[in-house]
Amino acid sequence: MISKVLIANRGEIALRIIAACREANLATVAVHSEADRDSLHVTMADEAVCIGPAFANASYLNITSVIAAAEITGADAIHPGYGFLAENAHFAEVIQECGLTWIGPPPEAIRLMGDKATARRTVSARGVPILPGSPEPLTSREAAVKLAEEIGFPVILKASAGGGGKGMRVARDGRELRHAFDTARHEAERAFGVADVYLEKYLTSPRHIEVQVLADGKGRAIAMGERECSIQRRHQKLIEEAPSPVVTPELRARLCAAAVAAAESVGYQSAGTVEFLYNDGEFFFMEMNTRIQVEHPVTEEVTGVDLVREQLRVASGLPLSVRRTPRITGSAIEFRVNAEDPETFAPSPGTITRLALPGGPGVRIDTHIYQGYRIPPYYDSLIAKLIVSGRDRGEAITRARRALSMFLIEGVKTSIPLHLKILAERDFIDGRLSTKFMERFARPE
């Protein structure tokens, strides 16, 4: 059993983990950079330790400092949240070697799923459908062109070691692919320290649908239903919802079975997400995120299951509180509120001079901001998540309009006006979504 959890993260996810720990009667330790000295997670935790200067590589990414903070506070477990060190297998191994509990999947599972080419081979061996592509990282431009000609253009190059759109390039012919190959490798090496890229058949306008899984580490994994994550900008999600408006009960059963097979193929434990591309009745494995997701609240709202609490249970050696895929009830939509210009998407750090949070039925807000809070320029621009839920998708959309119109943030620019515009779009209202939604939205025909 664990008794004190160090949260190796910041912002809204750090507060989310603190809330789950309080319900579980676990003490908490916040770590923070000098720039986050006044952050709410520092105030709300039972203890706090400054682990370095503002830049993440000297603080939140400094493994030695994080471990030292756990040792001096007597924390016996570490939760990584998402981002930063959350999918760093070496970090997980160091924690375990120090006799601490890692609240996450086994390091080897992180490593296997972290290499996208290896992940494709691993899940394919368990019958999970994958897009045609390279079984190994590509060694040359000509090898890439030869394979692309075999499976047919367009194709997409992806970094084996990363995600988030880094090291990713689409090519529609051999000339474009030769140029994209060098660009993708350079970007992958700069972002992840590994230049390896692999190639897949490119779907021009698919949906991005993911399945939340929970696994107890004893050979049992459970799918918690799907999320629609198609509304993205530069491969960064903006709006997520559960369930997907396109998924039927029969398709849900197939998606969940594939996600469970993927998780079991690497002996998974804790919470994770298996991501798929869906197109014309078929779905294909894309990747597995070996951590809690930013969009996990929509699954919590339609299942009634606290996913972070389940992570704490598994790490403590307790069984999952759910034994089978839960019944999906109602609809939930999450809007990522970023501190950025809603037209140009340029970051907008600064001081929040006025703040009013919406409330009422079906409204949840996960945030770390407050009036007078200064948003630092050093980290991700996410400052809040608005989650709305209703008896059906129509009611959730109605509540979203109401909540966003009453969500007041002054002093910085935010993505709230953008979300209100999207909510007025007929394609969104009717559930006609794809990963190209934002391109059509920005340049309507």
Side-chain angles (χ1 to χ4, degrees):
M1 296 293 289
I2 59 181
S3 60
K4 184 185 287 190
V5 178
L6 182 142
I7 300 146
N9 218 295
R10 65 178 300 276
E12 66 85 16
I13 189 60
L15 284 169
R16 174 69 186 87
I17 297 165
I18 289 170
C21 287
R22 284 196 180 175
E23 287 196 15
N25 293 316
L26 298 174
T28 54
V29 177
V31 294
H32 65 92
S33 69
E34 291 174 358
D36 275 338
R37 214 175 274 280
D38 297 324
S39 187
L40 268 186
H41 78 287
V42 176
T43 303
M44 293 297 179
D46 296 305
E47 299 174 70
V49 179
C50 182
I51 55 171
F55 292 103
N57 61 358
S59 53
Y60 295 108
L61 293 172
N62 188 323
I63 293 176
T64 301
S65 293
V66 173
I67 297 297
E71 291 178 345
I72 65 175
T73 57
D76 52 8
I78 294 180
H79 195 306
Y82 55 70
F84 294 133
L85 295 167
E87 292 180 285
N88 186 311
H90 173 64
F91 180 49
E93 288 171 339
V94 170
I95 287 171
Q96 294 176 342
E97 288 168 2
C98 290
L100 305 173
T101 298
W102 164 249
I103 303 176
E108 187 57 24
I110 298 174
R111 192 168 280 113
L112 284 170
M113 286 302 182
D115 185 294
K116 303 303 187 292
T118 300
R120 279 167 48 87
R121 292 197 307 272
T122 302
V123 302
S124 179
R126 292 292 294 264
V128 178
I130 62 172
L131 285 165
S134 55
E136 302 284 348
L138 295 160
T139 56
S140 68
R141 287 180 293 175
E142 294 312 311
V145 172
K146 181 180 179 181
L147 178 60
E149 290 173 344
E150 291 175 3
I151 66 177
F153 286 97
V155 296
I156 185 167
L157 291 166
K158 294 182 179 180
S160 291
K166 300 290 194 304
M168 189 179 291
R169 290 290 185 278
V170 176
R172 291 169 177 80
D173 55 41
R175 178 177 172 277
E176 206 171 310
L177 180 56
R178 287 184 178 90
H179 175 71
F181 183 80
D182 293 332
T183 304
R185 281 179 56 85
H186 175 71
E187 189 172 291
E189 185 169 30
R190 189 176 59 207
F192 311 113
V194 178
D196 290 347
V197 295
Y198 67 99
L199 179 147
E200 282 182 346
K201 177 70 177 176
Y202 179 65
L203 301 179
T204 56
S205 192
R207 286 177 179 259
H208 183 145
I209 296 175
E210 62 188 29
V211 177
Q212 176 72 57
V213 294
L214 290 173
D216 60 8
K218 299 177 176 63
R220 187 165 66 101
I222 299 170
M224 305 294 289
E226 86 285 352
R227 297 186 287 255
E228 173 85 51
C229 303
S230 296
I231 299 182
Q232 307 173 6
R233 178 182 172 273
R234 294 184 178 175
H235 308 287
Q236 297 295 319
K237 300 166 188 173
L238 296 174
I239 300 173
E240 304 97 347
E241 60 181 293
S244 165
V246 78
V247 172
T248 63
E250 183 274 334
L251 176 57
R252 179 172 298 118
R254 291 196 292 130
L255 280 165
C256 287
V260 166
E264 291 178 343
S265 72
V266 292
Y268 202 77
Q269 176 179 313
S270 194
T273 300
V274 184
E275 304 200 353
F276 299 96
L277 293 177
Y278 173 81
N279 190 63
D280 292 335
E282 295 184 286
F283 62 87
F284 306 92
F285 172 84
M286 185 167 56
E287 64 181 6
M288 183 174 187
N289 289 302
T290 53
R291 53 174 167 78
I292 197 75
Q293 293 273 90
V294 177
E295 60 271 24
H296 77 272
V298 292
T299 297
E300 294 181 330
E301 294 302 310
V302 299
T303 63
V305 177
D306 184 329
L307 297 174
V308 180
R309 186 77 180 270
E310 294 301 315
Q311 288 186 295
L312 297 174
R313 288 181 63 87
V314 170
S316 296
L318 299 172
L320 295 169
S321 68
V322 287
R323 296 186 176 277
R324 61 183 67 86
T325 298
R327 182 170 176 265
I328 306 299
T329 303
S331 176
I333 310 174
E334 175 179 294
F335 299 84
R336 299 192 188 193
V337 178
N338 299 321
E340 61 187 23
D341 188 300
E343 299 291 336
T344 67
F345 302 103
S348 180
T351 300
I352 296 173
T353 56
R354 195 177 181 200
L355 176 67
L357 303 179
V363 174
R364 165 181 169 181
I365 297 177
D366 286 12
T367 185
H368 61 289
I369 64 174
Y370 54 86
Q371 191 163 310
Y373 173 68
R374 177 168 174 74
I375 300 168
Y378 311 103
Y379 315 113
D380 185 88
S381 63
L382 179 69
I383 56 173
K385 301 184 313 195
L386 169 68
I387 305 100
V388 295
S389 56
R391 289 167 292 186
D392 54 32
R393 189 170 185 267
E395 185 172 66
I397 289 174
T398 298
R399 287 176 170 171
R401 290 196 191 100
R402 179 252 296 173
L404 284 165
S405 69
M406 299 179 73
F407 201 158
L408 177 66
I409 303 176
E410 293 183 355
V412 297
K413 295 179 180 180
T414 76
S415 54
I416 290 174
L418 173 66
H419 289 313
L420 284 167
K421 287 182 181 180
I422 292 172
L423 280 173
E425 283 291 304
R426 191 76 249 173
D427 280 352
F428 179 83
I429 295 168
D430 293 341
R432 293 192 296 267
L433 310 177
S434 79
T435 55
K436 298 298 182 183
F437 179 93
M438 287 301 295
E439 291 181 21
R440 296 198 308 270
F441 175 75
R443 293 186 291 275
E445 296 178 2

